[in-house]
Every structure is written in structure tokens, then in C-alpha cells.
Amino acid sequence: MKDSGKISSFLKTGEVYFPPEDIVKNLRINEEVYEEGKRIEEFWGKISEELVWFRKWDRVLEWNPPYSKWFVNGKLNASYNCLDRHLDARGNKTALIWEGEPGDRVTYTYGELYREVCRFSNVLKDLGIKKGDRITLYLPMIPQLPVAMLACARIGAIHSVVFAGFSPRALRERINDAESRILITADGGFRRGRIIPLKENADEALEDAPSIEHVIVVERTGKRWNRYERDLTWDEVIEKQDTECEAEIMDSEDELFILYTSGTTGKPKGVVHRTGGYMVGVHITAKWIFDLRDDDIYWCTADIGWITGHSYIVYGPLSNGATVVMYEGAPDHPARDRFWEIIERYGVTVFYTAPTAIRSFMKWGDEWVKKHDLSILRILGTVGEPINPRAWEWYHRVVGGERCPIMDTWWQTETGMILISPLPFTPLKPGSATKPFPGIEADVLDEDGNPCKPGEGGYLVIKTPWPAMLKTLFRDDERYIKTYWERFPGVYLTGDAAKKDEDGYFWILGRSDDVINVSGHRIGTMEVESALVSHPAVAEAAVVGKAHEIKGQAIVSFIILKEGFDPDENLKELLKAHVRAEIGGIAVPDEIYFVSSLPKTRSGKIMRRILRAIESGKEIGDTSTLEDEKSVKEILGKK
Ligand code: WT7
């Protein structure tokens, strides 16, 4: 049963894929970890010993729902745990292999990365940045991004990374909410051969962002940019800096970063993560789920602008001393085999990507993959949305050569770390994220808060605290409580719908709230609606998600125009451009329908459920609370 004399294939029985014995027996963990995970404090306490602490904690957990304190009075530094601790054993080991979209390449050893981070930490200190100050990072996928994050962490500044695809207005909103003192950006970044004008966007954002004192610009593209008094360039400020900077002693509860994510209202939520719990959580999940070892070359294709990049490009893999691949651009530039070329060139052994990417690869055809020797791959991962079994099977067969376990990892910006996922020894069912990580207690509840029966869909919840859980929402405890803890008191509400099967395997069904998942990016329907109604032609807008072959979900909008505007194609294009300017490309509606009314309840709430049903061709269901049937008839008429 040997495949090319290396590792044997998975054994398939019914719908279950059993990992081959030679994978299972070589792992450093086995089923026992689940037993150990049942005693939460003991379990996480023991795991915390894998990090370097300046002072050991007094207590693992203090839980006053919905507030938790992890590793109480413990002192550590995240940057120290990603860099300094490796210098003796791995100083000359490659930490980062970076490739730009145009093909430029740079690598950093742990020693080099350490010195670069120290230098930039000194830059921030020279600018008067102190522990607790916020710094916004609006950068392409270039090495300066992790360097700046680790420099913030080193001196105790709180970073807020804003995805480079966001618009000036979205950037401004996030800067102002965090009251950041410094913005770090670049003159541009490459995407599909084009340059994203980040500095121009930043300048527009800063027209009304009074907290920003300085902008540090990485010169990436060689193009000219407008320089203002507040602007400094990365190279000029870093040049003369010392390559040593002592890591600040941080309390375990001190904030490490803020990351904004979409919710059910128009305003993004500033998810706050803190040092100790987060680091423990991402360290151990990276280590166990991806079985990270010293000779692994690990590549996660996410953008660092999202939580996946924070936890599984930067903090998790680096705290494990792994070699991390980072790529700037698109998967189909210059050709559709760019990812496979990268895997082959660097000998990537662990590869973590998203279902939407996998579905594109599938559509582009096996030949792009087959052009390259991927036999060195040993573990695959997926994240961001439910993976359909067909895409799973393709990934397993074509990319993984039927020998790599697929880790379907369920988690969120708020959870900080992966919470539901197989471990490499877990028997797999395509489309299921399988079981909660050791130490995590997840469940599916019905409307009344009772556990659902196997096979029954309900609310996915987490019943006990976990170390990387969000601390709160930035300066908004009230929203923190309301969003996550009110529906079922003392229980964390994920916002996802799920079911459990007879074997206790979890199947994520999608969001149960007004959030759409487009290509693994979370977009609030209200966010898009408010962008649309901010256009002078729009009186009212309703936005829903609809199944999409590649993106998972597409954005569909129904719009009532103001008097005097013509419902034509030209206006549709203008509205799309408007949303792009308001939020960014990821939020642009795929479809726009002009209607004269929207289905609403008698109290005036838009019934998105009805729009969703129409879009998916399902039964419309109970319409007794509907104010007027007219709108439904009109919309059905347009289909
Ligand atoms: C939402 C969180 C966590 C990193 C990427 C997105 C969906 C995430 C899975 C998965 C099914 C998934 C959920 C979740 N999701 N991973 N493996 N299977 N759904 O982070 O932007 O915070 O979005 O993504 O709906 O709630 P995020």
C-alpha cells in the first residue's frame, strides 16, 4: 500500500478517510490529548510551559462570565517568544521566505528577523511610542508587515492591521476608532500585475484622522508618491537604528492587537486580543494541528490583514520556530500554477489555504497542479468557510496525492485560535471540521438553549472559555456582551449554524446572523446596505447572500431608488463603484435589482429571510408577519 515508496494512502471506508498508520505513529500526540483537555486549567497550564515567561502566572484562569483572565499575573512578550527564544538553537535557521508577486525574493533567518524587528522597535520608540499606544498597519504582504507587528509587540504597542484591500474610508474609520498615533503603509503593493495605490488611499484616509502623528512609508514599487510633512520612509528611519531592543515585560492580560471584523451592524467591531492566552492558543494549535517540526516549510496563503495571517503566518508558526513562506500576490499571476510553483520551489511540506481558492484551482483544471512535483507536501489545511465535499476530495487527491490529511479548521477572528479541527490522526469526513480541539467544549443548541439531537441544525456555541478568546471589543464592552453572551447566558455565541452527527462530528452550515461569507471574508449585510444608501440615488437597500460556485456566497442587493433616478445598467455600475469606494472590492454586490418595495415586517424590519429564500429558490415559508405581499411578487417577477 506504499505510495511512491514514501507514505501510504488514506483508507476510505464509506464516507470516512482513515489516515495511514505511518502518519499516525510518527505524531507526537495521540487520542489522550482529548482526555487531558477535559481538565481545562491543568491542561492549559501545562501547555503554557511551551512558551517563555519572564514570570510564571499565579493562576491559569479567572472566569467571571463573560470576562476571562488567562495566566493571571504571568509576564511574557510575544515578540520574544517568536524571535529571541530561538536565537540560540535556530539563529541561522530560515524564519521567513518571502516572494513578491513580480518574482522578487528575500529570506530572513531568525537572527536577521530578530535584528530587523529590534531596529524597527527602536524607530517606534524614537517616535515616542509607548506601551498601550495603537498603531495602524496598512501594508501589502511584504516582510515589513510581520516585522512591524513584532516590533509593536516588542515594545507593547497595540497593532491594528487593516487589510490592504480596504478603501480609504474603511481605513479612516478603523484608524479613528483605535485612535492610532502612527500609520505604517507602502507606496503600493502588487496584485495581479497591478499596483494597489496604498499611499494615495492612506492620504485620503488621513484627510480626517487627527490622531495620526506620523506615516511611515515602505517604498515597494519604485513609483513616485506625494510626500507630506508627516511622512517618513521606512528605509530612512530604520537605517541607523541599533539591532538590539529589549522586549518589554508585558502582563499576560496586556493587549497584543486589535483586529476589526464585520458584524451585524454597519460599524466594524474591534476585536481585542491579549498577550498570554492568545500566544498559548496559537502556539499549540499550530504545533498540533499542522504537526509543525523543525524541518517543515510551512505556507499559509491568507493575507496577514485577516486573523488567519495573524495567528497562522506570524504568531503561531514563529513561536514554534518554523520556516514560514509568505507570498504577496494572486494565485493566477503570471499563470495559474503560481502556488504549485512556489510549493515545488521551496519544498513546502504544510500548506494551508481556503475553500474558495481550492474551488478556483479545481475549475482551472488538474493540469496546472500536475505540472509540478508536490510529493513533499505532508499536511493540508483549509479555513474560512465550509468546504464542499467535492472540493475536499479534489484537494485530497490532486494536491495531496491521497496521502495528506486535510485539516478543516473552524474558527473566527474572535476565537483567535482554531477551535474545531481534526488532528493529523483523526479519521476525516469531507466537509466536516470534525471535533473541538482538546480543551474546547463546543455544542449545537436549539432556540431554547437545549442541545440539538444529532443531525439537527442549531446555533454553534462554545461552552467553556479558551485561552485565545477575545478580551472584549475595543472600547465597547456593551456590544461585546450583546453580540456574544446574551443569547445564551454564559455561553459564547459564534454566529454560525451547525449540526453534530452521530459520531460527534461538527458540520458548519454557515452564518446564522446577517453576515455573508464571500470568499472566506466576512461581510455584514448592514455594512453593504449603509454603503448603498449613502449614495444619492438610493432610498433603501437590502442585501443578502446567495450560493456562488467559487466564492461560496455572492452579494445580492435589492434597491429602491429615489424619485428621478433611472434604474439602468449605468446606475448599477455607479453603485458598485460607490461600494468599492466606501468599503473595498470585497463588498461590491454581484447582483443589483431595482425594486419598488422591500419585504418588511409590520414594524418595518427588512425580512432578509424572504429575500434569501427567493435567491436560493427555496420555499418562502411563513409570511404572516409580512406587511405587504406586493414586494415579494415583484421580486419573484424579476427572476
Ligand atoms: C467565520 C469567521 C477564522 C479564519 C477565517 C475567517 C467561517 C471559518 C470555517 C470552516 C466553515 C468556517 C464561519 C466563521 N468559517 N472557518 N473551517 N468551516 N466555516 O475569519 O473573518 O472571523 O470569519 O468564517 O462562518 O464564523 P472570520
Side-chain angles (χ1 to χ4, degrees):
M1 279 267 299
K2 294 269 170 180
D3 178 293
S4 66
K6 282 172 84 189
I7 299 179
S8 31
S9 304
F10 273 65
L11 194 67
K12 191 180 172 199
T13 312
E15 59 165 345
V16 186
Y17 287 69
F18 292 91
E21 194 48 38
D22 40 12
I23 290 184
V24 177
K25 72 166 193 287
N26 282 322
L27 296 169
R28 294 160 296 189
I29 49 167
N30 56 35
E31 284 285 344
E32 283 167 26
V33 289
Y34 289 105
E35 221 17 69
E36 290 163 16
K38 288 184 179 154
R39 293 175 298 276
I40 295 190
E41 292 200 35
E42 204 180 310
F43 178 71
W44 292 115
K46 188 168 151 223
I47 286 171
S48 77
E49 290 168 16
E50 302 218 1
L51 297 184
V52 181
W53 297 79
F54 301 139
R55 181 192 185 278
K56 198 185 156 159
W57 38 265
D58 298 327
R59 220 186 135 179
V60 172
L61 171 66
E62 246 176 63
W63 178 226
N64 298 308
Y67 296 104
S68 63
K69 279 194 179 143
W70 281 91
F71 308 110
V72 181
N73 295 329
K75 308 283 178 201
L76 77 168
N77 182 290
S79 179
Y80 188 97
N81 272 283
C82 290
L83 301 168
D84 312 40
R85 70 176 300 192
H86 301 308
L87 292 180
D88 283 343
R90 304 189 182 92
N92 291 325
K93 177 184 170 174
T94 305
L96 190 65
I97 301 175
W98 175 80
E99 187 166 307
E101 196 186 70
D104 34 351
R105 294 168 203 164
V106 181
T107 64
Y108 292 78
T109 63
Y110 271 92
E112 288 165 337
L113 192 61
Y114 163 82
R115 289 189 287 278
E116 201 64 7
V117 168
C118 285
R119 286 165 85 202
F120 198 69
S121 305
N122 288 325
V123 168
L124 296 175
K125 277 183 161 174
D126 275 1
L127 292 171
I129 297 303
K130 295 195 182 57
K131 188 171 161 179
D133 287 342
R134 273 85 53 211
I135 296 190
T136 298
L137 278 54
Y138 183 61
L139 285 164
M141 284 284 285
I142 53 178
Q144 287 85 350
L145 176 50
V147 167
M149 290 163 77
L150 292 166
C152 289
R154 192 162 193 88
I155 65 166
I158 301 168
H159 60 71
S160 162
V161 181
V162 177
F163 172 58
F166 275 118
S167 70
R169 252 163 281 184
L171 171 62
R172 179 190 299 160
E173 188 177 12
R174 286 158 178 76
I175 290 173
N176 288 340
D177 189 76
E179 296 189 67
S180 291
R181 292 184 59 191
I182 289 188
L183 173 66
I184 305 170
T185 188
D187 55 0
F190 292 95
R191 183 82 192 174
R192 239 170 234 121
R194 290 212 317 245
I195 292 178
I196 311 171
L198 295 174
K199 178 61 167 62
E200 257 172 62
N201 291 353
D203 288 339
E204 194 181 326
L206 295 188
E207 281 166 19
D208 183 19
S211 61
I212 294 289
E213 298 161 29
H214 295 285
V215 181
I216 300 175
V217 185
V218 180
E219 300 191 281
R220 159 93 187 98
T221 67
K223 288 260 177 335
R224 287 174 55 88
W225 47 278
N226 289 333
R227 185 161 181 160
Y228 298 95
E229 211 173 309
R230 55 163 197 250
D231 297 345
L232 304 162
T233 75
W234 177 284
D235 287 341
E236 75 195 13
V237 289
I238 207 169
E239 199 184 30
K240 293 194 187 66
Q241 294 294 346
D242 200 90
T243 53
E244 297 286 329
C245 171
E246 207 165 321
E248 187 83 21
I249 296 176
M250 302 296 286
D251 188 85
S252 174
E253 281 296 303
D254 280 337
E255 288 80 4
L256 177 60
F257 65 84
I258 304 172
L259 185 59
Y260 288 87
T261 186
S262 296
T264 50
T265 70
K267 191 175 175 283
K269 307 183 277 199
V271 172
V272 179
H273 282 292
R274 51 205 145 160
T275 310
Y278 175 81
M279 287 304 291
V280 170
V282 299
H283 176 88
I284 204 63
T285 43
K287 179 170 175 177
W288 286 2
I289 294 168
F290 300 113
D291 187 37
L292 281 186
R293 308 200 181 219
D294 248 336
D295 53 0
D296 272 313
I297 309 283
Y298 165 90
W299 184 24
C300 165
T301 68
D303 192 292
I304 294 178
W306 310 110
I307 190 69
T308 308
H310 282 60
S311 302
Y312 298 107
I313 297 178
V314 183
Y315 292 109
L318 294 180
S319 74
N320 277 283
T323 296
V324 176
V325 173
M326 178 176 169
Y327 167 61
E328 176 186 29
D332 52 353
H333 191 85
R336 290 175 163 178
D337 60 345
R338 184 67 185 265
F339 276 18
W340 321 122
E341 190 187 285
I342 291 174
I343 293 179
E344 187 176 18
R345 177 175 320 115
Y346 301 114
V348 172
T349 53
V350 179
F351 178 63
Y352 189 24
T353 194
T356 182
I358 298 167
R359 287 191 297 265
S360 295
F361 301 144
M362 236 173 116
K363 202 169 164 196
W364 295 342
D366 300 10
E367 59 275 17
W368 293 105
V369 190
K370 299 237 162 95
K371 272 171 69 179
H372 300 274
D373 179 3
L374 307 184
S375 60
I376 198 162
L377 279 173
R378 60 181 197 94
I379 292 186
L380 300 175
T382 151
V383 61
E385 57 175 309
I387 180 164
N388 42 311
R390 252 192 53 175
W392 192 100
E393 275 153 14
W394 182 88
Y395 194 33
H396 183 68
R397 184 169 47 82
V398 181
V399 179
E402 293 179 6
R403 37 159 232 288
C404 306
I406 298 181
M407 304 294 108
D408 178 350
T409 61
W410 177 91
W411 58 299
Q412 311 177 296
T413 305
E414 293 88 339
T415 69
M417 62 190 264
I418 296 167
L419 290 192
I420 304 179
S421 166
L423 292 167
F425 58 73
T426 308
L428 304 172
K429 300 184 191 182
S432 168
T434 75
K435 292 191 274 186
F437 193 79
I440 305 302
E441 212 190 322
D443 207 352
V444 178
L445 304 183
D446 67 15
E447 293 291 338
D448 304 321
N450 301 314
C452 289
K453 290 191 209 63
E456 208 181 301
Y459 298 96
L460 178 66
V461 297
I462 312 296
K463 288 165 85 171
T464 44
W466 65 98
M469 67 195 291
L470 74 167
K471 182 172 180 166
T472 186
L473 294 177
F474 189 66
R475 291 185 183 160
D476 203 347
D477 287 342
E478 200 180 311
R479 190 171 178 197
Y480 168 69
I481 295 170
K482 244 181 109 172
T483 311
Y484 307 107
W485 302 99
E486 241 171 43
R487 182 69 178 77
F488 305 112
V491 170
Y492 172 81
L493 183 73
T494 65
D496 278 11
K499 62 180 186 191
K500 248 197 310 189
D501 69 15
E502 302 281 352
D503 299 325
Y505 276 40
F506 284 77
W507 299 76
I508 312 297
L509 304 170
R511 298 290 305 193
S512 63
D513 54 8
D514 287 323
V515 171
I516 313 179
N517 189 328
V518 183
S519 303
H521 302 315
R522 215 205 277 192
I523 294 158
T525 49
M526 292 271 280
E527 225 175 327
V528 184
E529 287 166 6
S530 13
L532 284 167
V533 297
S534 74
H535 188 278
V538 177
E540 268 192 273
V543 166
V544 294
K546 172 189 182 175
H548 184 278
E549 198 195 334
I550 302 289
K551 301 191 210 180
Q553 280 191 298
I555 304 177
V556 181
S557 61
F558 299 89
I559 288 172
I560 305 176
L561 289 176
K562 285 188 188 149
E563 221 43 71
F565 288 92
D566 292 330
D568 56 18
E569 287 304 313
N570 183 36
L571 184 55
K572 283 188 189 175
E573 289 313 310
L574 288 177
L575 291 175
K576 287 184 186 180
H578 181 71
V579 175
R580 183 182 301 274
E582 284 288 318
I583 308 173
I586 53 169
V588 174
D590 297 82
E591 291 170 33
I592 292 180
Y593 295 101
F594 294 120
V595 296
S596 57
S597 65
L598 288 167
K600 285 190 185 160
T601 60
R602 270 172 265 272
S603 60
K605 264 183 79 177
I606 296 172
M607 293 181 78
R608 293 196 190 79
R609 172 177 68 75
I610 290 184
L611 295 172
R612 276 197 292 267
I614 295 175
E615 278 308 312
S616 56
K618 289 205 194 104
E619 286 289 315
I620 290 175
D622 180 21
T623 54
S624 56
T625 52
L626 190 66
E627 188 200 34
D628 184 358
E629 298 262 348
K630 176 173 117 265
S631 61
V632 176
K633 292 206 184 87
E634 182 193 357
I635 293 167
L636 283 171
K638 296 203 186 237
K639 293 278 141 184

